[in-house]
């Protein structure tokens, strides 16, 4: 527990010096005088007396031998840091490697304490968090939410002066007022794309994107980056985001986001983020309408790439897909087969350290983010930092994110369409018949297949990230989409005469586009949203499966996304502590369903019971324990991905030309069923 508290204190209030009290003033780190920065070392005696007295917990930090960290000081302490910039990514990777290879947790604490006040806070936090999560002796350390540490990445900056005023003037924490964050503060309703602001600017959505890239770091050393089916997860997680975004666009009478396939055409959508970096008080630059990508000559961070290079990388990836193989760095042809092809392609397109040939195929995904992040100042003429597309915590706020990832998703779809359609053996389950599926809101007399969404106002404590601000809790409230909890009921007949094991797969897809026009299956197939996946035991005869929406294998509970981490919040019981671990990876549960509309929007709710013998990877896991409940997007920690099928099965491959509708697709298979549901939105706000 002492180590847990030590690292938690080290992570809080990331811009303040390490010697200042943390954990609402309850914890102080007693650090060796040699660890103080040049500015504060002459004041060592005064600082220790001033800042360590009165803390409930004082934790001495060991004086250890400090390795050379000057390589990481290349990135200025107050500079903008981006995981999409190759130079930054490589330096962060070296720092992760250094932290990960230190002999024990105590030495790591000493080295990290020394490094904290000398390195860029964003880079330091990222590297230390990745190392903590992947070291066997620290992987149970409770990592604070990124919202707590860097609220400026998520929140309208106009609230920070109000929070500081409230916290400093009102000493009694109980009497402090909550500061409200207004929704839709980035544009007016004259901008059609603002209808999607609730999605793009949702705090939980952006935290999910950051958290996924923390669990699956692209620039980490191969031994840390290499996880089971990591490349495939990169494809699937982002592909599902695009499907979810487009489903919500239909609900808001907007067409699908147009993939950014022409890299030289003007980008019609603009984005003005209204956000300020707390590190240097510089605003995130706006991206004006009709700007075009131009060659990058960012001498400030050695990002020198031409649009032609970006185009060549994409063309080479398309050629590899069409040929059916990639060429690795030794010149060997690696087949893109139906087992590992999508995984190889995912690492190559993202350009993680696991790419089979970065020199040939380049850094398409990451560099595309750079081009869009620096579109306002590609040659550093105006000394501007990157826009929101340059940071994993802010990229999803910009409409162009979905256009760029629409193009990236198109590459994966192109590959998947080269594979043979699934056959009857793969899709069927002899002796298993799904008689029907329904969904009902958990309220008395609620009608079947009518799901409800609305606005919810929720509070979050931002004290841990309010550097040089008041001690104690300071709350802000924000408004987000929410849905009424509901329950699935699936009726299944097992006519085999023996107990059977299966996997229930639940998907949702819009029936019509933004004009109310019915979609062909070839279009709808790419818009199926995974809602849940779970194992089932089917006794002979009739079975009724009941599954609650909050058990989803895709989402994390709302309270875990926004939980506080600190001495007072840390459970002492070991079982509770295990469940309270680093568990933030997963789609936010409040965004499980598309928004719908006041008149209701029609969707197809689909279920399939697949044969467990073809699903199993030979490991059992408890989806209710530790952090296993969002495994569809995040996998399992230190284990195989818990499903042998390709992610997105059964909708991730093409079908015969005769299949024109979902009914056509299901007709040969008794182990599938669907029903029509309506999602109705009520424009009202409730308090959590």
């Amino acid at each position: 527990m002492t180590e847990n508290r030590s690292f938690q204190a080290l992570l809080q209030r990331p811009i303040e010096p390490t010697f200042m009290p943390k954990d609402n003033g309850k914890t102080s780190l007693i650090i060796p005088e040699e660890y103080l920065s040049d500015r504060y070392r002459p004041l060592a005696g005064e600082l220790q007396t001033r800042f360590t007295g009165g803390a409930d917990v004082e934790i001495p930090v060991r004086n250890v031998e400090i390795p050379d960290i000057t390589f990481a000081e290349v990135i200025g302490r107050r500079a903008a840091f981006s995981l999409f910039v190759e130079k930054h990514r490589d330096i962060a990777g070296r720092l992760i490697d250094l932290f990960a290879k230190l002999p024990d947790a105590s030495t790591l604490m000493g080295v990290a304490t020394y490094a904290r006040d000398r390195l860029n806070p964003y880079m330091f936090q990222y590297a230390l968090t990745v190392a903590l999560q992947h070291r066997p002796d620290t992987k149970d350390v409770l990592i604070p939410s990124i919202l707590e540490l860097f609220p400026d990445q998520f929140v309208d900056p106009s609230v920070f002066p109000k929070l500081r005023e409230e916290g400093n003037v009102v000493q009694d924490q109980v009497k402090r007022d909550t500061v409200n964050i207004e929704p839709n503060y980035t544009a007016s309703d004259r901008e059609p794309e603002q209808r999607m602001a609730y999605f793009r600017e949702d705090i939980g959505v952006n935290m999910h994107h950051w958290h996924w890239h923390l669990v699956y770091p692209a620039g980490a050393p191969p031994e840390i980056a290499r996880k089971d089916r990591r490349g495939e997860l990169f494809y699937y997680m982002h592909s599902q985001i695009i499907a979810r975004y487009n489903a919500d666009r239909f609900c808001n009478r907007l067409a699908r986001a147009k993939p950014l396939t022409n890299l030289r055409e003007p980008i019609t959508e603009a984005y003005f983020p209204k956000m300020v970096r707390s590190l240097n008080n510089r605003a995130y630059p706006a991206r004006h309408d009709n700007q075009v990508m131009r060659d990058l000559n960012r001498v400030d961070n050695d990002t020198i790439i031409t649009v032609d290079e970006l185009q060549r990388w994409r063309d080479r990836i398309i050629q590899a897909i069409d040929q059916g193989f990639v060429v690795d760095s030794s010149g060997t042809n690696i087949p893109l087969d139906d087992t590992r092809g999508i995984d190889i392609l995912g690492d190559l397109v993202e350009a993680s350290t696991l790419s089979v040939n970065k020199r040939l195929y380049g850094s398409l995904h990451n560099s595309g983010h750079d081009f869009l992040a620096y579109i306002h100042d590609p040659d550093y003429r105006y000394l501007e930092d990157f826009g929101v597309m340059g940071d994993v915590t802010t990229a999803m706020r910009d409409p162009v994110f979905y256009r760029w990832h629409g193009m990236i998703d198109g590459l994966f779809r192109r590959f998947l369409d080269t594979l043979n359609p699934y056959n009857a053996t793969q899709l069927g389950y002899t002796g298993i018949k799904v008689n029907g599926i329904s969904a009902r809101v958990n309220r008395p007399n609620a009608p079947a297949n009518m799901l409800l969404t609305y606005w919810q106002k929720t509070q979050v404590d931002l004290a841990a990230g309010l550097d040089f601000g008041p001690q104690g809790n300071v709350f802000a409230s924000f408004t987000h989409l929410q849905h009424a909890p509901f329950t699935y009921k699936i009726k299944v007949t097992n006519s085999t005469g023996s107990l059977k094991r299966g996997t229930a797969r639940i998907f949702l897809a819009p029936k019509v586009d933004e004009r109310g026009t019915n979609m062909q299956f070839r279009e709808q197939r790419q818009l199926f949203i995974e809602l849940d996946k779970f194992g089932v035991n089917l006794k002979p005869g009739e079975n009724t499966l009941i599954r609650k929406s909050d058990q989803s294998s895709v989402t994390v509970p709302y309270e875990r996304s926004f939980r506080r981490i600190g001495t007072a919040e840390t459970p002492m019981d070991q079982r509770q502590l295990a469940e309270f671990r680093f568990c933030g990876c997963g789609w936010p549960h409040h965004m499980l369903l598309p928004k719908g509309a006041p008149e209701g929007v029609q969707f197809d709710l689909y279920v399939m019971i697949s044969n467990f013998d073809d699903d199993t990877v030979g490991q059992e896991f408890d989806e209710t324990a530790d952090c296993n409940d969002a495994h569809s997007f995040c996998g399992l920690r230190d284990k195989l991905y818990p499903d042998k099928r390709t992610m997105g099965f059964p909708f991730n491959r093409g079908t015969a030309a005769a299949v024109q509708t979902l009914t056509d697709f299901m007709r040969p298979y008794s182990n599938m069923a669907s029903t029509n549901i309506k999602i109705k939105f009520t424009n009202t706000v409730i308090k959590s």
Side-chain angles (χ1 to χ4, degrees):
M1 291 301 295
T2 300
E3 283 181 358
N4 214 327
R5 287 178 178 173
S6 300
F7 285 114
Q8 285 176 32
L10 202 61
L11 290 167
Q12 291 179 31
R13 297 207 175 200
I15 303 176
E16 288 184 357
T18 308
F19 54 75
M20 293 184 70
K22 303 296 187 289
D23 196 14
N24 286 341
K26 298 173 184 175
T27 303
S28 289
L29 296 176
I30 311 301
I31 66 177
E33 184 175 327
E34 296 86 342
Y35 286 12
L36 294 175
S37 65
D38 293 342
R39 172 67 186 91
Y40 294 119
R41 195 174 299 137
L43 307 175
E46 175 189 343
L47 295 174
Q48 295 287 19
T49 302
R50 178 180 170 192
F51 289 109
T52 60
D56 295 342
V57 180
E58 294 184 355
I59 303 175
V61 178
R62 270 182 60 201
N63 194 341
V64 300
E65 182 178 352
I66 304 298
D68 181 16
I69 62 169
T70 55
F71 70 89
E73 294 175 352
V74 171
I75 302 174
R77 180 157 169 78
R78 297 287 179 174
F81 169 77
S82 172
L83 286 172
F84 296 119
V85 173
E86 185 172 11
K87 180 178 180 178
H88 291 189
R89 195 165 58 248
D90 290 346
I91 291 173
R94 288 182 62 186
L95 190 60
I96 292 169
D97 194 41
L98 186 154
F99 286 157
K101 290 180 177 177
L102 292 171
D104 52 59
S106 179
T107 304
L108 172 61
M109 183 65 196
V111 173
T113 301
Y114 177 86
R116 183 184 188 274
D117 292 342
R118 290 167 171 81
L119 302 182
N120 181 280
Y122 289 136
M123 178 184 65
F124 171 81
Q125 291 273 342
Y126 168 73
L128 179 60
T129 303
V130 172
L132 288 173
Q133 189 181 349
H134 290 86
R135 287 177 61 103
D137 57 351
T138 61
K139 66 181 182 180
D140 289 341
V141 169
L142 309 180
I143 305 300
S145 155
I146 186 67
L147 172 62
E148 288 187 29
L149 302 181
F150 295 107
D152 60 302
Q153 304 287 81
F154 302 92
V155 173
D156 177 2
S158 68
V159 306
F160 296 128
K162 300 175 186 176
L163 288 170
R164 286 191 170 92
E165 177 183 352
E166 187 69 23
N168 282 311
V169 174
V170 183
Q171 296 299 303
D172 187 342
Q173 298 180 40
V174 177
K175 295 181 180 179
R176 289 175 180 172
D177 283 344
T178 298
V179 177
N180 185 49
I181 302 170
E182 294 294 336
N184 296 325
Y185 62 89
T186 51
S188 73
D189 58 7
R190 295 177 63 185
E191 170 53 57
E193 290 296 327
Q194 194 65 8
R195 299 177 206 169
M196 293 298 297
Y198 71 90
F199 187 108
R200 291 185 284 101
E201 296 172 358
D202 182 84
I203 291 176
V205 165
N206 284 277
M207 285 175 62
H208 159 72
H209 190 237
W210 164 80
H211 218 136
W212 189 93
H213 282 279
L214 189 71
V215 175
Y216 293 94
E223 59 270 22
I224 289 178
R226 187 173 290 110
K227 295 183 176 70
D228 186 48
R229 295 169 70 176
R230 183 210 178 283
E232 185 178 3
L233 260 175
F234 172 80
Y235 140 70
Y236 187 58
M237 189 276 291
H238 287 91
S239 181
Q240 281 286 289
I241 286 175
I242 298 303
R244 288 167 181 271
Y245 186 69
N246 283 321
D248 269 73
R249 290 183 71 86
F250 294 161
C251 294
N252 288 284
R253 295 288 187 262
L254 293 170
R256 292 176 66 167
K258 180 185 176 184
L260 197 61
T261 52
N262 184 342
L263 302 183
R264 295 187 182 276
E265 72 176 5
I267 300 168
T268 56
E269 305 90 345
Y271 186 63
F272 291 73
K274 312 285 192 298
M275 297 179 71
V276 176
R277 293 182 173 92
S278 59
L279 271 182
N280 52 26
N281 281 327
R282 284 191 172 187
Y284 279 87
R287 185 179 53 75
H288 292 262
D289 58 339
N290 294 313
Q291 287 189 289
V292 295
M293 289 196 283
R294 292 177 289 163
D295 296 347
L296 289 182
N297 186 27
R298 296 288 304 200
V299 294
D300 55 317
N301 54 36
D302 301 336
T303 304
I304 301 171
I305 321 169
T306 67
V307 179
D308 284 343
E309 285 180 283
L310 196 69
Q311 183 70 59
R312 277 198 299 272
W313 293 338
R314 187 179 67 171
D315 291 345
R316 288 170 184 169
I317 292 170
I318 290 173
Q319 182 183 25
I321 291 169
D322 293 346
Q323 289 176 334
F325 63 86
V326 295
V327 180
D328 70 12
S329 55
S330 67
T332 303
N333 293 346
I334 308 296
L336 295 174
D337 57 27
D338 57 0
T339 303
R340 291 197 59 238
I342 192 72
D343 193 46
I344 293 170
L345 201 59
D347 285 323
L348 184 147
V349 169
E350 186 192 12
S352 74
T353 51
L354 304 179
S355 172
V356 297
N357 194 339
K358 198 169 180 180
R359 185 172 182 178
L360 178 62
Y361 298 107
S363 180
L364 179 63
H365 165 262
N366 294 333
S367 293
H369 272 267
D370 289 335
F371 275 96
L372 295 164
Y374 290 120
I375 200 168
H376 57 283
D377 191 12
D379 59 4
Y380 201 43
R381 180 172 311 209
Y382 304 108
L383 308 181
E384 283 288 318
D385 288 330
F386 55 78
V388 294
M389 278 292 285
D391 197 307
V392 292
T393 58
T394 57
M396 290 185 66
R397 302 173 71 89
D398 193 328
V400 82
F401 173 92
Y402 305 90
R403 295 195 59 193
W404 176 247
H405 272 276
M407 187 280 290
I408 295 292
D409 191 53
L411 296 176
F412 293 117
R413 299 282 184 180
R414 186 185 186 104
F415 164 70
L416 290 167
D417 284 345
T418 68
L419 304 179
N420 292 325
Y422 291 114
N423 58 39
T425 301
Q426 293 167 311
L427 293 174
Y429 195 174
T430 303
I432 302 300
K433 182 180 180 181
V434 179
N435 301 305
I437 179 174
S438 64
R440 190 186 303 266
V441 169
N442 300 340
R443 295 176 184 172
N445 304 316
N449 301 329
M450 173 72 79
L451 303 183
L452 306 176
T453 63
Y454 45 85
W455 300 123
Q456 184 174 35
K457 188 180 287 288
T458 299
Q459 292 185 358
V460 62
D461 187 358
L462 299 181
L466 207 62
D467 296 276
F468 304 105
Q471 294 294 343
N473 302 328
V474 281
F475 287 97
S477 67
F478 60 96
T479 303
H480 57 87
L481 187 68
Q482 184 59 282
H483 61 272
F486 60 94
T487 300
Y488 306 102
K489 180 182 286 187
I490 308 167
K491 292 188 174 294
V492 186
T493 301
N494 172 7
S495 59
T496 66
S498 61
L499 181 70
K500 290 295 180 181
R501 178 81 168 152
T503 302
R505 303 168 186 272
I506 301 177
F507 289 84
L508 183 76
K511 293 176 72 72
V512 298
D513 62 17
E514 78 283 3
R515 298 169 298 156
T517 304
N518 288 324
M519 286 185 287
Q520 295 291 309
F521 184 68
R522 59 182 175 79
E523 296 177 278
Q524 190 189 38
R525 182 175 63 82
Q526 299 184 13
L527 294 167
F528 273 89
I529 298 165
E530 182 174 338
L531 295 181
D532 206 351
K533 179 169 56 181
F534 54 96
V536 295
N537 292 311
L538 302 172
K539 67 181 188 299
E542 302 302 316
N543 295 261
T544 300
L545 309 177
I546 303 296
R547 179 78 168 182
K548 295 182 178 179
S549 58
D550 61 10
Q551 294 176 283
S552 170
S553 65
V554 171
T555 62
V556 289
Y558 184 84
E559 62 275 8
R560 204 160 73 213
S561 291
F562 301 102
R563 68 169 186 237
R564 283 294 321 275
I565 294 286
T567 306
E569 290 80 14
T570 302
M572 300 300 292
D573 177 79
Q574 289 302 307
R575 182 189 62 80
Q576 291 178 329
L577 185 61
E579 295 176 357
F580 199 76
R581 285 165 45 189
F582 183 34
C583 305
C585 185
W587 186 251
H589 188 69
H590 62 274
M591 295 292 286
L592 176 66
L593 294 179
K595 180 182 176 183
E599 68 276 14
V601 178
Q602 301 288 337
F603 287 83
D604 280 318
L605 181 66
Y606 165 93
V607 65
M608 170 191 196
I609 307 291
S610 58
N611 190 334
F612 186 75
D613 292 341
D614 299 324
D615 304 334
T616 181
V617 294
Q619 72 182 14
E620 291 294 326
F621 76 98
D622 181 358
E623 68 173 358
T624 66
D626 296 343
C627 304
N628 297 338
D629 51 348
H631 55 82
S632 287
F633 279 6
C634 297
L636 298 178
R637 195 172 191 177
D638 303 327
K639 294 182 180 180
L640 299 176
Y641 187 81
D643 186 1
K644 194 174 182 179
R645 310 272 193 171
T646 307
M647 297 173 201
F649 172 84
F651 298 114
N652 59 334
R653 292 194 191 178
T655 56
V659 177
Q660 296 291 311
T661 65
L662 177 60
T663 301
D664 293 341
F665 177 72
M666 296 188 301
R667 187 174 290 113
Y669 307 108
S670 63
N671 59 316
M672 302 179 187
S674 73
T675 192
N676 181 63
I677 71 164
K678 182 180 287 188
I679 300 180
K680 188 173 182 179
F681 169 71
T682 302
N683 190 21
T684 188
V685 181
I686 68 167
K687 291 185 178 181
S688 59

